[in-house]
Amino acid sequence: GDYAIEVIDNVTGCTSIPVSDEVMEVPTRPDFESSASGGNINNTVCDPALAINSGSAYNGQVQVDIVSGTLADYTIEWYIGTDTTGAADFGGNPYQNLQGGTYTAHIV
């Protein structure tokens, strides 16, 4: 598509002369899959009462798997719940030692 780009100085209000640019290539949309597990074992400590009573840490895990492309090309930020505003709770892949719940991945 065709784009017109101009720069505006917020202090003085001065505006540059618009420059036209055409982007011919449509980027390939990455393809991801998500998974949740307890690693090599069942997620046996997803209940807070079990973790407290057994003295064990949570052992849940969520991760994003790349279907096409390379994981190193992306930054993965994890949030507890569905709200992705503010600072991420964890950066990387996989997100481990989790209790049962909702986790949202923001992929950049």
Side-chain angles (χ1 to χ4, degrees):
D2 292 322
Y3 296 88
I5 304 164
E6 69 180 14
V7 177
I8 301 172
D9 185 322
N10 288 333
V11 175
T12 65
C14 292
T15 304
S16 70
I17 297 172
V19 176
S20 296
D21 193 15
E22 182 178 6
V23 177
M24 300 295 292
E25 184 178 323
V26 176
T28 303
R29 185 177 184 164
D31 191 5
F32 301 96
E33 291 180 354
S34 61
S35 62
S37 70
N40 295 332
I41 57 173
N42 291 329
N43 189 9
T44 56
V45 193
C46 61
D47 182 343
L50 292 175
I52 292 168
N53 293 336
S54 69
S56 299
Y58 297 110
N59 64 351
Q61 171 178 303
V62 291
Q63 70 184 41
V64 173
D65 299 313
I66 302 294
V67 174
S68 61
T70 304
L71 184 59
D73 294 336
Y74 303 96
T75 299
I76 301 173
E77 299 171 336
W78 289 98
Y79 296 83
I80 297 171
T82 58
D83 184 4
T84 58
T85 59
D89 296 296
F90 178 76
N93 196 46
Y95 190 6
Q96 298 176 318
N97 302 320
L98 304 173
Q99 65 182 4
T102 300
Y103 299 89
T104 302
H106 178 80
I107 304 166
V108 183

